[in-house]
Amino acid sequence: MDVKRGNPLAAPFDYFYYGDSKVGRAQADADEIVQYLTKQLAIVDKEKREIREQVLLEYERRAAEAKLDGLEVPKPRCSDCAGLIQDVLESNPAAIVVDGVDEVAESRRHELLMSLVRIRDETLSVIKILLSSRECSNIFAHLSNADRLRVHEDDTQQDMELYVRHRVSTVIANRNLLDVDVPEDLQKDLVSFLVDLAGEMFLWVNLQIERFCELKSKASILDALRHDSKATTAAISQLYSGILGRISRTDPMAYAIATMAFSWLMCMREPLSLEAFLAAVSTSNSDAPLELTMPELLRICSNLIVLDSKLDTLRFAHSSLKEFLEEIGFSKSTTNSVVAMCCLDSCINDLPGDVKTELRPEK
């Protein structure tokens, strides 16, 4: 990517990472991914708004058909985008990277993989494609002739050690861990504990550190280190459960706000701006609208959701949180019902003044 930025004549580099997905979906959308890749390749000059001719002609054709039928311009599907990408790259080599393929719904994952294979095999120029995924036999079955490179825990060990030392030193410097100087031996114990058990899970480190920061004494931290000495990253669900349990016990209102925020993220079909998301959550939990700020919402949710400044919206800190929420009852039907009731309440309570009151249902 650095080479591409420094040399506009370099081969196109097309990428999609799961954080780009329209935030809140339980799973990434196959069409959306290939649309995103097509968009990157279609733009010749962003400042001049110059679009490649092949893509522009296809849009104009679709727009003309839609106007004739009195419909909106339909978005291209996977196969449509694959054809456009082939046209664009007919005489241009390119590299395409897609991260988190396992996050695509299994029922439609084959469409994404078949489109990428088609681009690789049928485009006249050289196309290199890199996909990342957790272990998934379904994906391997579609890519039987692809080269595989497995990232083991040892491959990330050095990065993990640097990250752990940085996080521990940061919370100590900011006085988030205890209110006094933290003894050097305790610092070493914390670093060793986190490095030994983190595996490849950086989020696990963050959640553990946040839990340690809630403890009030050195003795409490040492006791937690001893009791968790057999913990593994598989216990991240227990961390999620513990965080939500603490919120529920100590602040029921905060728990209601957090669960509403999670529900919105689980079922959104389009990304909401930060302002819209705050408004949605603020009007969902009490008779009188709350005046939440973004820092308050992130703190209430214990940073299980994060701010995506690139997309101007919020998303889950990790896909494992969505999987955990689904396991404890945040199903599609449940979250859709919660959000639908919120929308109905807003429509009923915020009707324009010129609407006759007879239309208002009795409460």
Side-chain angles (χ1 to χ4, degrees):
M1 293 180 70
D2 290 337
V3 172
K4 175 61 180 174
R5 281 192 288 265
N7 180 11
L9 298 179
F13 184 91
D14 212 7
Y15 70 94
F16 178 92
Y17 72 98
Y18 182 56
D20 283 331
S21 183
K22 288 183 177 177
V23 182
R25 289 183 176 173
Q27 294 177 307
D29 181 77
D31 288 333
E32 177 194 337
I33 292 174
V34 191
Q35 288 166 7
Y36 192 90
L37 298 175
T38 306
K39 177 182 177 181
Q40 292 181 64
L41 292 170
I43 299 175
V44 178
D45 190 316
K46 193 171 184 178
E47 293 183 358
K48 296 180 180 179
R49 297 186 177 183
E50 185 178 349
I51 306 296
R52 294 189 187 276
E53 184 179 7
Q54 303 96 320
V55 178
L56 183 59
L57 289 174
E58 175 63 15
Y59 173 79
E60 291 175 344
R61 183 188 69 79
R62 286 172 171 265
E65 289 183 355
K67 184 177 181 180
L68 187 64
D69 296 333
L71 302 172
E72 294 183 357
V73 180
K75 293 183 178 181
R77 303 293 298 271
C78 269
S79 57
D80 302 322
C81 290
L84 286 172
I85 291 176
Q86 284 181 262
D87 292 340
V88 169
L89 298 179
E90 186 174 10
S91 57
N92 297 299
I96 297 175
V97 177
V98 180
D99 175 45
V101 176
D102 55 294
E103 298 295 344
V104 179
E106 188 170 345
S107 61
R108 296 205 57 210
R109 191 183 295 151
H110 68 283
E111 296 180 45
L112 169 64
L113 296 175
M114 289 173 64
S115 295
L116 293 174
V117 169
R118 173 185 165 189
I119 293 169
R120 181 198 65 183
D121 294 344
E122 299 181 14
T123 306
L124 296 179
S125 55
V126 177
I127 308 298
K128 297 181 179 180
I129 300 177
L130 174 64
L131 308 179
S132 74
S133 167
R134 287 179 287 185
E135 196 79 25
C136 181
S137 59
N138 174 262
I139 294 175
F140 295 154
H142 286 284
L143 304 171
S144 57
N145 62 343
D147 294 330
R148 301 180 191 176
L149 177 63
R150 180 171 177 77
V151 178
H152 296 275
E153 182 179 324
D154 293 342
D155 299 321
T156 61
Q157 184 71 14
Q158 185 176 1
D159 291 336
M160 182 60 73
E161 289 182 9
L162 291 172
Y163 182 73
V164 167
R165 293 183 187 281
H166 168 71
R167 290 289 288 119
V168 170
S169 62
T170 298
V171 295
I172 290 175
N174 293 338
R175 299 285 183 174
N176 294 326
L177 185 69
L178 304 180
D179 295 327
V180 296
D181 292 334
V182 177
E184 187 174 344
D185 60 335
L186 180 56
Q187 294 184 41
K188 290 181 178 179
D189 289 342
L190 281 169
V191 170
S192 297
F193 170 83
L194 294 169
V195 170
D196 291 344
L197 298 176
E200 306 165 24
M201 198 71 168
F202 290 86
L203 177 62
W204 183 86
V205 173
N206 287 338
L207 295 177
Q208 285 285 11
I209 288 177
E210 288 180 11
R211 188 170 69 89
F212 289 139
C213 288
E214 294 177 356
L215 302 178
K216 305 302 181 184
S217 68
K218 175 183 176 181
S220 299
I221 295 175
L222 290 174
D223 183 65
L225 292 175
R226 284 193 296 270
H227 281 84
D228 291 349
S229 60
K230 296 182 180 180
T232 66
T233 53
I236 193 166
S237 292
Q238 296 178 7
L239 284 175
Y240 290 147
S241 180
I243 291 171
L244 295 182
R246 285 194 297 275
I247 298 174
S248 177
R249 290 191 302 272
T250 60
D251 192 338
M253 174 62 78
Y255 182 76
I257 294 172
T259 54
M260 182 58 69
F262 297 154
S263 295
W264 273 99
L265 285 176
M266 291 288 286
C267 68
M268 285 194 311
R269 298 301 298 171
E270 297 289 338
L272 290 178
S273 67
L274 299 179
E275 182 180 0
F277 192 93
L278 277 176
V281 176
S282 296
T283 58
S284 304
N285 292 279
S286 64
D287 294 333
L290 305 173
E291 295 184 0
L292 284 174
T293 64
M294 186 54 61
E296 284 178 327
L297 180 60
L298 295 176
R299 187 166 61 252
I300 285 171
C301 296
S302 296
N303 294 313
L304 294 178
I305 61 176
V306 295
L307 175 63
D308 192 323
S309 56
K310 179 182 177 182
L311 296 178
D312 186 37
T313 191
L314 293 164
R315 60 180 174 82
F316 287 116
H318 195 269
S319 59
S320 60
L321 176 58
K322 285 182 290 187
E323 296 167 0
F324 168 77
L325 291 173
E326 289 171 348
E327 291 174 359
I328 65 170
F330 282 72
S331 64
K332 182 181 294 186
S333 59
T334 301
T335 54
N336 282 339
S337 296
V338 170
V339 171
M341 288 302 299
C342 168
C343 294
L344 288 173
D345 286 342
S346 181
C347 290
I348 292 170
N349 295 322
D350 298 321
L351 283 174
D354 57 350
V355 176
K356 294 181 179 180
T357 56
E358 288 80 3
L359 296 178
R360 296 178 182 269
E362 294 183 3
K363 295 184 179 180

